[in-house]
Amino acid sequence: MKSRFLYMKFLGLLLVVIGFSYSITSFNNFFSFIFKTSIFSENLNIFLVSLGLIMPLFTFVFGVYFYFYTDFNITKINKLIFVSYLVMMIIGIAMIIIKELYNIKNIFIFQIFEFNHISFAYCLILLSIMGIYGCFKYKY
């Protein structure tokens, strides 16, 4: 097996593990909010905070896809992989700006990232940098 396949398989495995673990924690926070056993504020919009659960699930599903189709048809999935990593990086930077720098919780639309931990944003940025590096290095 070539080194690029090992690197990309390892990256796909990291995406699966990190996406699954943050999905579990985000859903735990979401269900504790629904059943009123959480420390989150009561004036959250259920629809918006449930939209925030999509990103950990996207990371998990993208990791499964990426793990199994890394060596399948490299030329056709190159743009999809690259765009997915760019989306992950943009969302990670947005999460850092919203949660860490400005700590905005009162504005309606920024409740999307309420149940995602800030370390998930750093993991997204790190994984997207690794993926973009792999795309350029191995001419994915």
Side-chain angles (χ1 to χ4, degrees), residues 11-125:
L11 185 57
L13 188 64
L14 275 177
L15 282 167
V16 168
V17 169
I18 289 174
F20 183 71
S21 64
Y22 280 106
S23 293
I24 295 296
T25 58
S26 296
F27 274 105
N28 185 19
N29 291 338
F30 180 69
F31 287 129
S32 67
F33 172 73
I34 287 177
F35 295 126
K36 308 286 190 244
T37 60
S38 69
I39 59 171
F40 296 102
S41 64
E42 295 293 326
N43 58 358
L44 294 176
N45 188 350
I46 294 291
F47 180 70
L48 280 177
V49 295
S50 64
L51 283 178
L53 301 174
I54 291 174
M55 196 56 205
L57 284 176
F58 171 76
T59 307
F60 173 69
V61 171
F62 178 64
V64 170
Y65 170 79
F66 189 73
Y67 183 79
F68 286 114
Y69 292 106
T70 299
D71 52 350
F72 179 63
N73 195 354
I74 296 173
T75 58
K76 290 198 176 193
I77 63 170
N78 182 20
K79 291 179 184 176
L80 176 67
I81 289 172
F82 185 71
V83 167
S84 296
Y85 280 124
L86 284 179
V87 167
M88 285 173 52
M89 182 177 281
I90 289 169
I91 288 178
I93 291 171
M95 281 177 67
I96 289 174
I97 289 172
I98 291 170
K99 289 188 76 114
E100 183 88 10
L101 297 180
Y102 293 114
N103 200 6
I104 303 171
K105 292 185 180 180
N106 299 334
I107 299 176
F108 185 67
I109 194 69
F110 295 140
Q111 293 177 358
I112 291 175
F113 301 122
E114 185 70 28
F115 295 140
N116 296 331
H117 196 265
I118 191 65
S119 62
F120 180 59
Y122 293 116
C123 288
L124 281 181
I125 291 173

